[in-house]
């Protein structure tokens, strides 16, 4: 069966017949001209884009973009149907919305019921199931430790190499200040060590980021703030605020047969800003020395 969207892109209406890389023009009388086909395609694209944009930005649909169709992999978007007495809201696979059941046969989901269920699950999980949060964090922490144990050894090795490079720079700068080596010998070697340190510290930062991503149990202050926000947004919040709450607390919503369930995100404590590294201090010292050396040579040349 041909999808409606593909019909509007089919050039057979112009009298063309395609077979692999061969195109036969004027194979039969054209049904429409080029301008009409182009106009139909522009209208199709415009309607499709507007539909997608409307579904993605409408705050009445709290879970838009969080549901992935298990059949075709597209996202579910907000749709509606007008009944005799009221409007019915659904989440529908984008392929089905655009091409009908021929595009995707996945069923629609009652939007009112899903929005309410997800908000209720958030409130229950983060206010009453602290034991569940502790259990999940403990298991995730153990998995993190088991899977990243070798990275601790890598980090130790990298830190030792960084310390060794810093010590080498110290020796070169001290020797230069004492006059036992000249700048022609010192400068290229120090520059090479600086480059090595930059590469090592980039690797160090990567390892630290991976290791610092260990799951932690949210503090009491964070959980209390979350509970207040959840309570207020559900009780008196606007549709946009409820949607923002779901976006902040839910990673995705999965469909498993007839079951639909959310996957929650755990709140994290903001990391403090990084302090100035030893490499930055060494670079600053080397830059100061370069300026001092250039000024000294200039003064010698003038005399």
């Amino acid at each position: 069966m041909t999808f409606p969207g593909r019909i509007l892109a089919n050039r057979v209406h112009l009298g063309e017949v395609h077979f692999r890389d061969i195109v036969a023009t004027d194979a039969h009388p054209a049904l429409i001209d080029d301008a009409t086909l182009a106009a139909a395609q522009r209208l199709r694209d415009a309607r499709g884009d507007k539909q997608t944009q409307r579904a993605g930005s409408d705050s009445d649909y709290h879970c838009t973009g969080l549901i992935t169709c298990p059949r075709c992999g597209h996202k579910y978007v907000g749709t509606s149907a007008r009944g005799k007495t009221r409007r019915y809201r659904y989440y529908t696979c984008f392929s089905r919305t655009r091409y009908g059941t021929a595009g995707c046969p996945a069923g629609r989901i009652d939007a009112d019921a899903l929005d309410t269920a997800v908000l209720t699950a958030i409130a229950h999980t983060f206010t009453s199931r602290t034991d569940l949060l502790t259990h999940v964090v403990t298991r995730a922490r153990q998995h993190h430790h088991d899977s990243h144990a070798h990275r601790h050894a890598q980090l130790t090795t990298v830190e030792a190499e960084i310390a060794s490079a810093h010590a080498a720079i110290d020796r070169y700068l001290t020797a230069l200040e004492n006059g036992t080596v000249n700048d022609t010998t010192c400068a290229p070697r120090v520059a090479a060590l600086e480059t090595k340190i930059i590469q090592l510290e980039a690797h160090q930062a990567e390892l630290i980021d991976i290791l610092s991503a260990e799951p932690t149990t949210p503090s009491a202050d964070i959980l209390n703030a979350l509970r207040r926000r959840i309570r207020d947004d559900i009780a008196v919040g606007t549709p946009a605020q409820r949607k923002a709450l779901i976006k902040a607390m839910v990673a995705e919503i999965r469909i498993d047969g007839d079951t639909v369930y959310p996957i929650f995100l755990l709140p994290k404590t903001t990391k403090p800003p990084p302090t100035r590294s030893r490499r930055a201090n060494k670079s600053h010292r080397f830059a100061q020395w370069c300026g001092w050396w250039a000024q000294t040579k200039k003064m010698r040349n003038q005399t």
Side-chain angles (χ1 to χ4, degrees):
M1 180 180 292
T2 303
F3 296 161
R6 295 179 182 175
I7 292 175
L8 296 179
N10 197 337
R11 295 185 64 82
V12 72
H13 304 303
L14 302 177
E16 297 180 1
V17 175
H18 295 243
F19 178 73
R20 295 180 181 173
D21 296 332
I22 302 173
V23 179
T25 59
D26 299 326
H28 59 81
L31 302 177
I32 58 176
D33 56 22
D34 286 320
T36 302
L37 181 64
Q41 291 175 355
R42 287 196 298 271
L43 182 61
R44 175 204 62 183
D45 294 339
R47 287 179 175 176
D49 292 342
K50 288 179 180 178
Q51 183 182 49
T52 304
Q53 183 179 6
R54 181 174 62 252
S57 61
D58 188 357
S59 61
D60 287 339
Y61 294 91
H62 304 336
C63 301
T64 295
L66 295 175
I67 314 167
T68 301
C69 178
R71 290 180 175 267
C72 70
H74 283 90
K75 295 295 184 180
Y76 274 60
V77 296
T79 59
S80 65
R82 176 64 64 178
K84 291 183 178 180
T85 58
R86 68 183 183 92
R87 183 173 67 104
Y88 296 89
R89 301 167 60 252
Y90 300 100
Y91 290 107
T92 308
C93 172
F94 173 76
S95 294
R96 175 171 174 172
T97 302
R98 189 162 190 176
Y99 304 117
T101 53
C104 181
R108 297 179 297 184
I109 301 174
D110 187 321
D112 292 329
L114 182 63
D115 289 349
T116 300
V118 171
L119 288 170
T120 301
I122 291 174
H124 177 68
T125 301
F126 288 94
T127 58
S128 303
R129 295 303 309 274
T130 54
D131 60 322
L132 177 61
L133 293 177
T134 302
H135 176 68
V136 169
V137 170
T138 300
R139 290 187 58 184
R141 184 181 298 165
Q142 184 61 47
H143 174 74
H144 176 88
H145 176 76
D146 294 342
S147 61
H148 293 295
H150 67 286
R151 299 188 187 276
H152 287 281
Q154 291 180 343
L155 181 60
T156 300
T157 300
V158 169
E159 289 175 342
E161 292 180 6
I162 292 174
S164 176
H166 280 303
I169 290 177
D170 282 337
R171 290 194 297 271
Y172 273 106
L173 294 180
T174 300
L176 183 64
E177 291 167 354
N178 293 335
T180 55
V181 296
N182 56 42
D183 60 323
T184 303
T185 302
C186 181
R189 183 55 183 158
V190 171
L193 288 169
E194 286 285 340
T195 301
K196 180 180 179 180
I197 291 174
I198 291 173
Q199 295 171 347
L200 288 171
E201 289 194 339
H203 188 34
Q204 178 192 37
E206 180 183 2
L207 291 171
I208 291 175
D209 285 342
I210 294 173
L211 293 171
S212 64
E214 179 178 350
T216 58
T217 302
S219 67
D221 290 340
I222 292 177
L223 286 177
N224 288 333
L226 278 176
R227 293 179 184 122
R228 288 193 298 270
R229 176 185 171 185
I230 291 169
R231 182 181 62 251
D232 294 344
D233 286 354
I234 293 177
V236 297
T238 64
Q241 289 172 328
R242 295 191 185 103
K243 181 177 181 178
L245 172 65
I246 290 177
K247 292 288 187 182
M249 305 303 297
V250 178
E252 61 176 313
I253 298 174
R254 294 183 181 176
I255 302 176
D256 185 6
D258 295 332
T259 304
V260 181
Y261 58 93
I263 305 297
F264 293 122
L265 294 166
L266 287 178
K268 296 181 180 180
T269 303
T270 303
K271 295 181 180 180
T275 57
R276 190 177 186 182
S277 65
R278 285 189 62 192
R279 183 189 64 78
N281 291 328
K282 294 294 183 182
S283 298
H284 181 65
R285 178 185 173 188
F286 183 59
Q288 285 183 325
W289 173 84
C290 288
W292 167 81
W293 183 256
Q295 183 65 26
T296 302
K297 290 183 67 175
K298 182 178 180 181
M299 292 174 62
R300 289 176 179 174
N301 292 333
Q302 289 176 349
T303 58

